[in-house]
Amino acid sequence: MDWTRLSLEEQVAQCMMVGYAGEEPNPVTRRFLSLGVGGVIFFRDNFQTLQNASAVRARLQGISESVPAHLPRPFLGVDQEGGQVERLPHTVFPTGLTPRAIALSKRPDELARAHYRRMARRLRQLGFNLNFFPTLDVNF
């Protein structure tokens, strides 16, 4: 990618990640997409009516294709940690093990590796290419 061929607006947009409320992107988000925003983060209310994987894939593909073809595809991110933090409907992404349950298992390293690998594969199948996952959580 030759960044010098991008307009200043496109260069700035590439440095940004946006989110939006509701099912469909609002006009401001659509403007960022048209400028080639670097990423979109999704929340639970973005998927309220979507009840299957193909609907989620279609939504993500449509948003990705909203970015002009001469620009890199945006990051499509979600905070799908498992346990208390799950942004996707359970009909699309069944509840996973909590980090605490994994830590308390007999072989937490093996269970964590297998569990999070499955989560990553499932997210990739849905069309996500970024998961915001904590590096440290504290239980009180």
Side-chain angles (χ1 to χ4, degrees):
M1 160 85 16
D2 182 3
W3 297 99
T4 61
R5 299 186 112 177
L6 302 182
S7 71
L8 180 59
E9 283 182 324
E10 290 172 330
Q11 290 178 30
V12 171
Q14 280 288 294
C15 296
M16 300 181 79
M17 177 165 266
V18 299
Y20 61 93
E23 290 281 331
E24 296 294 330
N26 59 41
V28 172
T29 302
R30 288 198 183 284
R31 174 74 173 134
F32 277 113
L33 289 166
S34 74
L35 292 171
V37 70
V40 180
I41 183 170
F42 295 91
F43 299 97
R44 182 170 289 279
D45 66 332
N46 301 135
F47 303 106
Q48 288 296 326
T49 63
L50 303 183
Q51 296 301 312
N52 60 56
S54 61
V56 172
R57 276 193 299 275
R59 164 117 353 121
L60 296 180
Q61 183 177 359
I63 287 179
S64 183
E65 290 172 353
S66 297
V67 171
H70 72 282
L71 295 169
R73 298 297 91 204
F75 285 109
L76 301 174
V78 66
D79 193 7
Q80 187 73 18
E81 298 177 15
Q84 286 185 288
V85 179
E86 295 183 325
R87 306 299 185 203
L88 296 166
H90 295 150
T91 56
V92 174
F93 202 99
T95 301
L97 296 172
T98 65
R100 181 181 174 109
I102 292 171
L104 295 174
S105 69
K106 289 184 181 182
R107 294 194 162 145
D109 53 339
E110 292 174 21
L111 181 58
R113 192 172 293 111
H115 178 68
Y116 295 124
R117 183 174 288 132
R118 278 191 306 274
M119 280 182 68
R121 284 186 183 134
R122 180 72 174 141
L123 288 170
R124 184 176 45 197
Q125 289 170 350
L126 290 170
F128 293 99
N129 54 19
L130 177 63
N131 186 19
F132 294 95
F133 203 81
T135 54
L136 175 69
D137 271 349
V138 179
N139 286 321
F140 289 97

